[in-house]
Amino acid sequence: MVTSSDFGQFETAWCPGCGNHAILKAVKEALAGMDKQPRDVCLVSGIGQAAKTPHYMLCNLFNGLHGRALPVATGIKLANPGLDVIAESGDGCMYGEGGNHFLAAVRRNINLTLLVHNNQIYGLTKGQASPTTATGQTTKAQPHGAYSAPFAPLSTALSLGAGFVARGFSGMTEHLVSLIQTAVRHPGFALVDILQPCVSFNKVNTHSWYKERCTELDDSHDAGDWEAAMRLSMQWGETIPVGILYQNTDRGPFEGHFPQLEPGPLADNSPSLTTLESIMQTYA
Amino acid sequence: MDDITLCIGGEAGQGLDTMGQLLAKSLIRSGYEILVSQNYMSRIRGGHNTFSIRTCTSPLLGPGDEIHILAAFTQESIDLHQDQLAKRHLILTSEELGSKNTLDALLPVPFQQLTDQKILHNVAALGCLCGILGLLPDIGAGVVRSAFGSKDQDLAQKNLDAFHNGLNWVRERIEDAWHLPSVSPPESGSRLMLAASQAVALGAMSAGVNFCSFYPMTPATGVALNLAAHDQELGCVVEQAEDELSAVNMAVGASFAGAVPIVPTSGGGFALMGEGISLAGMTETPVTLVLAQRPGPATGLPTRTEQSDLELALYSGHGEFPRAVMAPGTPEECFYLTRKAVDLAQRYQTPTIVLTDQFLADSYRAVPAFDLHNLSPVAQPDTSAFPQDYVRFASTASGVSPRALPGYGPALVVADSDEHTQEGHITESGEVRTGMVDKRRRKEDGLRQETAAPEYSGPDSPDVLLLCWGSSKGAVMEAARICSESGMRVGTLHFSQVWPLDPAQFEDRLRQAGLVVAVESNAGAQFAALIRRQTGFAVQASILRYDGRPLSASYILPRLNPLIKEQTNGHEQ
């Protein structure tokens, strides 16, 4: 029986009150609750405060470059589909620097879980606008307010045919645990966009701001209804819907298209000399 | 007649490439040597493209510049190549073009009579060329059959008919003056027709490469296409990434999880991959990149050739980390050095790079089939179960740490792009940083000991030593041979590995030569500069080409002769 403590306890470099603490706790609880062994899990992150999460867990991890968590995670999953691969990083890393990889990962439908710590600000570089910062919000780098429209991760993912689209809130940890578990079980690309406060640099989207607005989706929402999911994904204001907006398993996972992966991880594959010989002869 | 250069010229979309490849394969199966140079424009249809085959009975060195037989499919190809025609030449063309031209050696072919389908004109022309060169009809027909037979019997028959009609038509009109010296055909399957893209792919396959992520870019794409053509039999995953940043990071991820990756790209793509290469250096993840050079900067001349990315390969990626850079000079070297690059990447857990270029990527040659049973082994990822107290970046005397794979045992594998402790976790400790930099640098000492020695040919202490690397090998050796035949004392020193360098392997050669001339396809004599940085030896002269065309003996000789004259006069005084 795996427990949350099997995934380790570390001192973190995060600010007191930061939403990252609750997300880390939820990830550990979600995995332990599913009886996942740390050796079978691989966390992949990019750069930023959220990207440090894997370092505060006992499991396999690859903490790579800014924006590049998804390509690395894709490579890991293709090399060894037996690993539970979770890409975890912030909104700047995943939606800004890694925007093209986000689009491609949704389109591929590679079987991995993407957890985005979305605090609508750049924390590590001390408070510039992020791709999800609201238009008009002022920061030191955008003293006249951010001019760009905020990136809408959920509707973007839905428009690209994503099979699993969910929103969580770091202040609703128990709910978040179940979202993460459903995402990990989903056979394909699963996005959980997690709203969280940045206590140091985002003075607008505070813990209480989210708490007043985040409303759990109830049973009246049919997660198989794409149009309803699209409407909910656009809802942002007095009420912000939290939960599984959409789930559909019609598309098989990307790695399932490669018969060469059926025998097992690539590290166990090597072609026979007879195969090589016959390939070489196609050049004769 | 021995040593004939045939040039097939026309528009993109006329099937010249297919025809050229079939002719080249017929020559190889007949027992001749070939060297193909391709010249194409950055467009899908139209423009003017050429597929040139130099062929003879003894091993060829560089591309030929004089054209003996011109197969011209457009007026432009007649007009553009008139000045390159050898004294004795033949122009094979269509009846329509024949009627417009008054050249002596014109052979207008009534293609409409030979085949009723325009798309088969190229195969009829192939028949004509096989007839002109005196190849055995069965060999040409066999090549046509193997190219079209598997698809559709009816289509194969139509192609064979067109081929035989071309062959018979030409035999009735041309005497055997253009026949190649007769040789006995080699045993079937004993010779391969390979260009660099194919040889690199075969080398990668033989080295156990099972992952290839790429973003299409001329002239590198061929490597990925050749792997994709056999992916399922090989057990190799080939993925076209959304961009180059993804391609290299995906390969790093795959390698971290135990795949053996290769990433083919060209200069612009490689520039984008710099950060990912640096990541492989920091996380000590094996990855092999193929950099098929073409002229830059920026988009440059996208379909032409140059050797101007040496410095990009040497210095790509920020920070300091070990790497090895191969520069094969022939398709055969592409095979062995790609294997070696994969092996070094695995053993030293660091990025390795294979430098080719457009000339080499598209230059088919005859290569003896590789003896796959007697190749030296290539290291593969260790799939054994490491214990729970495993640390990924343990400090060792060689700098190489035992590398566990995630999911293969109780060991947890931790990698970080930040400076890290031996456990793989982020650190800002100055002491740990110094130790890690030293650890990674120690790997470079091992790599240096495995550097492939440059190949020298020529007399001891030559008057002139031609220094070259990569694909210019053949042209340089041919220029040296021609000089030697007229009594000059010229040597060549070819580097097939350009980093790390071990001066003990070659420094004496440089100092013993009267004059050292660097011959490179770039404007900055980049390799000569590298030699100077490594040895303090200043190469005295250089012959450089950077018009996008490959180096050839006829480009080198007129520039070399005055240097030799100066040098030998100096001797006499």
Side-chain angles (χ1 to χ4, degrees), chain B residues 282-551:
Chain B
M282 180 55 122
T283 57
E284 307 193 32
T285 309
V287 58
T288 300
L289 299 108
V290 182
L291 167 48
Q293 301 166 96
R294 68 189 214 188
T299 313
L301 294 173
T303 62
R304 305 203 183 268
T305 202
E306 207 161 85
Q307 293 181 296
S308 51
D309 293 339
L310 172 63
E311 294 189 338
L312 176 67
L314 291 174
Y315 307 118
S316 56
H318 52 294
E320 297 165 300
F321 55 93
R323 71 185 78 198
V325 185
M326 308 296 163
T330 61
E332 208 167 353
E333 287 181 1
C334 285
F335 177 88
Y336 289 108
L337 291 173
T338 303
R339 269 182 74 82
K340 182 171 181 182
V342 172
D343 182 48
L344 291 178
Q346 288 296 327
R347 284 195 289 123
Y348 290 91
Q349 303 174 21
T350 203
T352 59
I353 300 163
V354 181
L355 274 173
T356 64
D357 53 44
Q358 181 268 329
F359 166 63
L360 199 56
D362 294 327
S363 174
Y364 294 98
R365 328 256 176 122
V367 177
F370 302 104
D371 178 1
L372 300 175
H373 297 268
N374 288 309
L375 294 169
S376 54
V378 168
Q380 299 296 314
D382 184 353
T383 55
S384 48
F386 283 73
Q388 205 157 10
D389 60 358
Y390 168 78
V391 294
R392 171 65 187 93
F393 300 102
S395 184
T396 60
S398 65
V400 179
S401 312
R403 176 175 162 237
L405 302 178
Y408 276 81
L412 298 178
V413 189
V414 174
D416 202 284
S417 68
D418 281 76
E419 192 54 273
H420 42 257
T421 60
Q422 295 191 36
E423 292 75 23
H425 287 293
I426 294 178
T427 182
E428 297 203 22
S429 149
E431 201 182 331
V432 174
R433 160 71 181 174
T434 307
M436 277 294 160
V437 172
D438 290 342
K439 166 187 149 45
R440 292 189 291 266
R441 283 181 72 89
R442 286 200 291 278
K443 298 198 280 186
E444 201 162 298
D445 300 331
L447 277 172
R448 185 170 291 105
Q449 285 166 20
E450 303 204 37
T451 300
E455 187 184 323
Y456 178 78
S457 85
D460 284 339
S461 310
D463 289 338
V464 175
L465 174 65
L466 301 178
L467 182 68
C468 63
W469 61 281
S471 76
S472 46
K473 181 180 189 178
V476 170
M477 290 188 75
E478 179 159 22
R481 191 193 69 198
I482 294 168
C483 291
S484 304
E485 280 165 6
S486 49
M488 300 175 219
R489 301 186 68 256
V490 177
T492 56
L493 188 61
H494 175 259
F495 286 75
S496 61
Q497 181 169 354
V498 290
W499 190 260
L501 288 178
D502 178 5
Q505 291 174 335
F506 60 86
E507 214 175 337
D508 289 349
R509 293 276 181 209
L510 300 176
R511 301 198 190 275
Q512 284 158 8
L515 173 77
V516 179
V517 183
V519 185
E520 303 184 45
S521 281
N522 59 55
Q526 294 182 17
F527 189 64
L530 176 63
I531 291 288
R532 185 166 192 171
R533 278 194 293 281
Q534 290 298 300
T535 64
F537 181 88
V539 171
Q540 296 98 334
S542 56
I543 295 174
L544 305 171
R545 183 167 201 177
Y546 41 92
D547 59 359
R549 277 68 184 169
L551 279 162

Side-chain angles (χ1 to χ4, degrees), chain A residues 98-259:
Chain A
N100 194 24
H101 309 312
F102 174 71
L103 304 183
V106 176
R107 290 182 51 233
R108 276 193 190 98
N109 198 32
I110 182 96
N111 185 8
L112 51 88
T113 306
L114 171 60
L115 306 178
V116 183
H117 298 214
N118 184 356
N119 58 14
Q120 297 158 269
I121 200 80
Y122 278 71
L124 189 58
T125 50
K126 303 191 193 283
Q128 301 80 24
S130 91
T132 49
T133 301
T135 310
Q137 187 168 326
T138 55
T139 76
K140 272 189 195 160
Q142 287 79 24
H144 315 295
Y147 296 138
S148 300
F151 180 70
L154 304 181
S155 30
T156 302
L158 284 166
S159 74
L160 292 166
F164 186 96
V165 178
R167 176 185 280 137
F169 166 44
S170 62
M172 292 161 60
T173 323
E174 240 172 88
H175 180 246
L176 184 57
V177 168
S178 88
L179 282 185
I180 293 171
Q181 289 180 337
T182 321
V184 170
R185 283 193 196 101
H186 177 79
F189 184 81
L191 165 67
V192 187
D193 182 69
I194 307 166
L195 301 173
Q196 58 144 163
C198 172
V199 292
S200 298
F201 296 106
N202 190 336
K203 302 301 180 196
V204 179
N205 310 109
T206 59
H207 184 78
S208 55
W209 187 93
Y210 288 124
K211 206 167 163 96
E212 277 165 30
R213 290 166 173 79
C214 289
T215 312
E216 205 176 313
L217 284 170
D218 61 24
D219 291 346
S220 69
H221 172 60
D222 171 9
D225 184 341
W226 187 85
E227 287 180 19
M230 204 64 180
R231 272 193 302 278
L232 287 169
S233 75
M234 314 279 248
Q235 197 176 324
W236 185 268
E238 294 310 304
T239 306
I240 300 172
V242 173
I244 300 171
L245 273 64
Y246 186 68
Q247 185 167 18
N248 180 330
T249 54
D250 288 353
R251 284 175 73 197
F254 183 72
E255 64 274 22
H257 297 293
F258 296 88

Side-chain angles (χ1 to χ4, degrees), chain A residues 10 38-40 42 46-47 52 54-66 68 71-80 83 97 100-102 104-105 108 254 257-261 265-271 273 275-284, chain B residues 25 29 189 191-194 198 202 205-206 210-211 226 230-237 239-243 245-246 249-250 252-254 256-259 275-276 279 283 369-370 372-373 383 405-418 424-426:
Chain A
F10 296 82
R39 57 180 273 182
D40 295 326
C42 188
I47 295 298
K52 289 179 180 160
H55 283 288
Y56 306 139
M57 282 186 62
L58 278 178
C59 65
N60 298 294
L61 72 93
F62 192 101
N63 180 193
L65 299 171
H66 192 39
R68 314 295 162 225
V72 171
T74 302
I76 292 172
K77 189 70 183 178
L78 286 172
N80 188 351
L83 292 169
E97 192 85 27
N100 194 24
H101 309 312
F102 174 71
R108 276 193 190 98
F254 183 72
H257 297 293
F258 296 88
Q260 56 269 52
L261 290 176
L266 288 178
D268 298 333
N269 273 359
S270 60
L273 273 177
T275 304
L276 287 174
E277 192 80 42
S278 71
I279 292 173
M280 183 175 74
Q281 281 302 317
T282 62
Y283 297 90
Chain B
K25 198 163 251 193
R29 288 195 190 171
R191 301 174 96 213
L192 313 175
M193 180 169 102
L194 292 180
Q198 298 166 323
L202 270 181
M205 291 175 201
S206 80
N210 52 24
F211 191 87
N226 278 284
H230 305 286
D231 58 352
Q232 295 189 357
E233 326 152 53
L234 278 170
C236 177
V237 170
E239 173 61 358
Q240 182 177 321
E242 57 274 22
D243 54 33
L245 310 169
S246 176
N249 277 278
M250 212 182 266
V252 168
F256 171 75
E275 196 190 18
L279 173 70
T283 57
F370 302 104
L372 300 175
H373 297 268
T383 55
L405 302 178
Y408 276 81
L412 298 178
V413 189
V414 174
D416 202 284
S417 68
D418 281 76
H425 287 293
I426 294 178

